[in-house]
Amino acid sequence: MQTTAVEVHHFNTVQQIPTPVRSIIVPGGWVSLDATIRSQPLRFVSVHLDPGPSTDIQLAQAKELVEKTAGATALPIVFGGDFNAPR
């Protein structure tokens, strides 16, 4: 297996946890790489969407993830990760 185009990306939408002193920003993002497996080039994307009291941040991060990855390559994309989806 050969890998190329290893990248790290940060979400614009992040979770902020209020404290008496100041808000704590929880950074999040995804990593991606291109790999050729059995002569098939693919882009792999690994992500961990932020958990939270509501799905607003997760939905915004998922939208950003799709917008920024789907338009960035002509390769088929394989997504994997913890999407923190409600049941």
Side-chain angles (χ1 to χ4, degrees), residues 19-87:
T19 72
V21 178
R22 62 186 166 110
S23 291
I24 298 171
I25 296 174
V26 181
W30 69 95
V31 295
S32 63
L33 63 83
D34 295 347
T36 301
I37 300 174
R38 296 184 182 163
S39 301
Q40 173 65 54
L42 300 164
R43 172 155 297 171
F44 290 88
V45 178
S46 178
V47 65
H48 183 193
L49 299 181
D50 287 340
S54 76
T55 59
D56 293 344
I57 291 174
Q58 295 164 355
L59 292 173
Q61 288 178 341
K63 180 179 178 185
E64 183 179 346
L65 179 68
V66 170
E67 288 174 352
K68 291 189 176 178
T69 57
T73 184
L75 297 176
I77 302 174
V78 178
F79 289 98
D82 185 347
F83 296 93
N84 282 308
R87 295 178 185 234

